Amino acid sequence: MNAIEIENISKQFGKVKALDDVCLEVKEGECFGLIGPDGAGKTTLFRILTTLLSPDNGKASVNGFDVKRDYLEIRKCVGYMPGRFSLYQDLSVEENLEFFAALFNTKIKDSYSLIEPIYKQIEPFKTRRAGKLSGGMKQKLALCCALIHYPKVLFLDEPTTGVDAVSRSEFWDMLAGLKAKRITILVSTPYMDEASRCERIALCNEGKILTTNTPKNIVDGYNDELYAISADNMFELLSLSRKVKGVKECYPFGESHHLVVEKDFDKEYFANELNQIKNLQIKKASPSIEDMFIKLMKR
Amino acid sequence: MKDIVISVKEISKVFGDFTAVDKISFEVRKGEIFGFLGANGAGKTTAMRMLCGLSFPTHGSGTVAGFDIRKQSEEIKRNIGYMSQKFSLYNNLTVWENIRLFAGIYGLSKQETKQRAENIFKQLDFEKERNTLVASLPLGWKQKLSFSIATIHKPEIVFLDEPTGGVDPITRRQFWEMIYQASNEGTTIFVTTHYMDEAEYCSRVSIMVDGQIRALDTPANLKKLYNAESMDEVFRHLAREAKRGE
């Protein structure tokens, strides 16, 4: 059985199509990533799957339960961490945890084995009010609260947004631990470099899913030739490269620019055309998820 | 020196018994793209507020755009541009009304306002959207418009606080091309980001850890110094040393 099934879901707000005929399946025990910028529809999809919003069209189920008909069942077996911090600021760490345990008719000790690795990190501050915690600690507390009833499916809406690169990587390590306990995880992120931490991903933009696959298969499916170029004046390099015959596109990519080229691209010719540029370096590059995203967005 | 636009010496900010910023010193040259990086809670925002004239240092001194950060905060505010990570144009005003409002705040004449507005419309290819409510623009367009408005009074320096958070990969790059362009024309850019590929686009990068500047150099030199392949690696190396939490 699939943990999540989404068939032709659409949702419109006024003129904006937040979700446009979205189909997706997430397998049991899978860590599945929704990768896309703001406005892709990620939060709307989460709200539909957690039964907080009804779709205009289409069908969806979580853990075998229909989001419309069996919404009460779904609420019992899913954990949801919204993008915005939504615990009680005036309750302490411990009180928040006890409160959520009480709501789900359970005790902290029943799921302690699940939350222990995460809770241990905030336990020294258990009497501190949640509102007084740092961003990283709030995030860990929110994750503990979302896990308090040992959910089958965990929904995490942009848990790493605005978080620095080191803390982001630690957060993904925590998710790996949960996956080992067979919890299905649907997680969204705007950071393309986090894609590799998921088993499968969907790239989404403006209410549509551009593609769904394993990160490796998505990258392998990139069939344009790609070069990395650099020079002393990177800004000049960008505008001049775009004018050379055989160049489809040139865009900044970290320390180099990526050059997407036509079949008839000739490296020597290119270097020759740009001979006024100092220290031109050109070498083959391997595509990343972000290159694929850019390609699919332009299609 | 004439071409130094930001210069601070051992500035600190202490809140009670907590030293948020601990004796930082650095200089930024005219036209540089200066990347201001650090882990959450390293003190970036506090430092940036002092540079923008929004908060006074507890110790130390410095100048921004030629004005004293202790004594001339109002002059600083008039001579810098600032774009926060939170969208701060007026959603219920049209594109043109937002431009007029901010131009008015910065004291531009009618003539200047009109002329700069035309430039913005042209640069962003926005002519059609002149009378569109800002609320209905796509996020990427809003960010590009915010940048144009933050620089409408042609400030010497513009401060950008995570300008590209949540923006799609294509728009993010278009945004950086606007930054390159402004820097090429002599505007100094002071920018924070969590995207490490963007750190590579900067002329020089500083990395804050526990309230102090732990590293400051060009991306190429930093990578050499830490024997790293990317700025991401350099950042991880330094941020892992952090002792204090957020």
Side-chain angles (χ1 to χ4, degrees), chain A residues 80-93 96-97 100 118-119 121-123 125 128-146 156 158-161 163 167 171 174, chain B residues 40 245-246:
Chain A
Y80 175 39
M81 186 170 150
R84 191 188 297 176
F85 183 70
S86 26
L87 302 181
Y88 291 89
Q89 312 260 4
D90 292 338
L91 296 184
S92 70
V93 166
N96 262 297
L97 214 51
F100 281 93
I118 306 156
Y119 187 64
Q121 302 172 48
I122 49 172
E123 207 172 10
F125 313 98
R128 194 181 287 186
R129 283 187 192 184
K132 297 276 175 207
L133 294 175
S134 71
M137 290 199 280
K138 276 184 183 162
Q139 187 196 39
K140 281 167 191 158
L141 177 60
L143 184 58
C144 287
C145 289
L156 305 170
E158 297 206 17
T160 55
T161 290
V163 176
S167 313
F171 191 83
M174 289 192 287
Chain B
N40 298 105
E246 284 167 45

Side-chain angles (χ1 to χ4, degrees), chain B:
Chain B
M1 277 236 289
K2 228 183 163 183
D3 68 340
I4 301 288
V5 292
I6 299 177
S7 166
V8 293
K9 269 198 200 95
E10 304 210 325
I11 55 167
S12 299
K13 183 79 187 184
V14 181
F15 299 109
D17 58 0
F18 179 68
T19 305
V21 173
D22 189 5
K23 287 189 188 163
I24 61 170
S25 304
F26 62 93
E27 287 181 338
V28 180
R29 289 186 286 267
K30 182 174 162 58
E32 263 195 302
I33 303 177
F34 190 86
F36 198 59
L37 309 187
N40 298 105
K44 292 192 304 283
T45 305
T46 309
M48 200 144 145
R49 287 177 58 84
M50 291 193 279
L51 297 176
C52 294
L54 297 171
S55 138
F56 295 111
T58 318
H59 306 288
S61 61
T63 58
V64 171
F67 299 103
D68 190 310
I69 55 169
R70 283 180 174 281
K71 298 182 195 128
Q72 297 174 293
S73 57
E74 289 312 310
E75 284 87 343
I76 289 178
K77 286 179 204 163
R78 253 172 259 154
N79 285 281
I80 62 166
Y82 176 74
M83 178 180 162
S84 90
Q85 84 195 86
K86 198 166 161 261
F87 181 69
S88 39
L89 298 183
Y90 288 87
N91 270 317
N92 296 329
L93 297 182
T94 64
V95 172
W96 160 242
E97 286 165 340
N98 265 290
I99 293 176
R100 214 173 63 191
L101 173 66
F102 284 96
I105 290 172
Y106 284 114
L108 265 58
S109 70
K110 268 193 178 154
Q111 189 65 32
E112 283 172 314
T113 305
K114 229 184 125 200
Q115 196 186 1
R116 307 250 165 107
E118 293 311 323
N119 283 346
I120 294 177
F121 292 140
K122 218 159 102 196
Q123 195 195 3
L124 301 180
D125 202 6
F126 248 42
E127 192 50 54
K128 286 200 307 286
E129 314 297 338
R130 177 191 282 266
N131 296 315
T132 308
L133 279 186
V134 159
S136 56
L137 292 175
L139 175 84
W141 293 35
K142 284 185 185 174
Q143 293 302 90
K144 286 191 267 182
L145 181 63
S146 295
F147 180 77
S148 296
I149 288 182
T151 52
I152 194 156
H153 53 305
K154 306 232 161 115
E156 268 190 76
I157 312 162
V158 57
F159 290 86
L160 307 172
D161 192 3
E162 286 184 45
T164 55
V167 175
D168 72 69
I170 293 180
T171 313
R172 197 153 75 80
R173 288 174 167 80
Q174 290 169 346
F175 193 90
W176 269 91
E177 285 186 40
M178 289 180 77
I179 294 181
Y180 270 135
Q181 178 85 43
S183 141
N184 236 21
E185 289 162 7
T187 309
T188 308
I189 315 281
F190 189 96
V191 59
T192 72
T193 180
H194 284 309
Y195 291 98
M196 287 303 130
D197 59 333
E198 296 185 348
E200 312 264 6
Y201 305 154
C202 300
S203 329
R204 286 189 305 148
V205 165
S206 74
I207 299 178
M208 273 187 92
V209 180
D210 293 346
Q212 300 173 334
I213 290 187
R214 207 51 69 77
L216 199 173
D217 213 328
T218 62
N221 284 346
L222 287 176
K223 282 182 277 186
K224 219 179 282 168
L225 183 63
Y226 291 97
N227 195 17
E229 299 250 312
S230 63
M231 280 305 294
D232 187 50
E233 252 184 73
V234 173
F235 181 80
R236 278 162 203 271
H237 180 86
L238 287 165
R240 286 230 162 82
E241 290 174 4
K243 301 230 163 43
R244 82 183 187 204
E246 284 167 45

Side-chain angles (χ1 to χ4, degrees), chain A residues 208-256:
Chain A
K208 284 195 157 73
I209 289 185
L210 305 172
T211 185
T212 304
N213 215 322
T214 61
K216 184 176 181 304
N217 284 346
I218 286 181
V219 169
D220 289 349
Y222 189 92
N223 53 12
D224 273 324
E225 268 206 78
L226 196 67
Y227 290 90
I229 57 173
S230 64
D232 285 355
N233 187 335
M234 294 295 278
F235 183 57
E236 198 187 3
L237 177 65
L238 196 60
S239 46
L240 291 179
S241 297
R242 286 175 179 156
K243 296 182 188 138
V244 181
K245 200 173 124 278
V247 172
K248 270 193 201 166
E249 264 181 79
C250 183
Y251 48 83
F253 207 91
E255 63 174 343
S256 49

Side-chain angles (χ1 to χ4, degrees), chain A residues 6-22:
Chain A
I6 301 167
E7 288 170 51
N8 311 99
I9 288 276
S10 295
K11 181 77 189 178
Q12 198 157 339
F13 299 107
K15 275 189 284 180
V16 181
K17 283 184 178 170
L19 291 173
D20 188 5
D21 204 22
V22 167

Side-chain angles (χ1 to χ4, degrees), chain A residues 28-48:
Chain A
E28 222 175 54
E30 194 170 34
C31 178
F32 191 101
L34 290 174
I35 319 271
D38 290 359
K42 306 185 299 283
T43 300
T44 305
L45 190 61
F46 276 120
R47 293 178 59 84
I48 288 173

Side-chain angles (χ1 to χ4, degrees), chain A residues 176-199:
Chain A
L178 294 175
K179 196 195 133 39
K181 307 235 171 185
R182 298 290 300 160
I183 292 178
T184 306
I185 302 172
L186 182 67
V187 53
S188 67
T189 176
Y191 298 103
M192 308 274 149
D193 58 341
E194 294 182 346
S196 62
R197 307 293 297 255
C198 305
E199 283 161 280

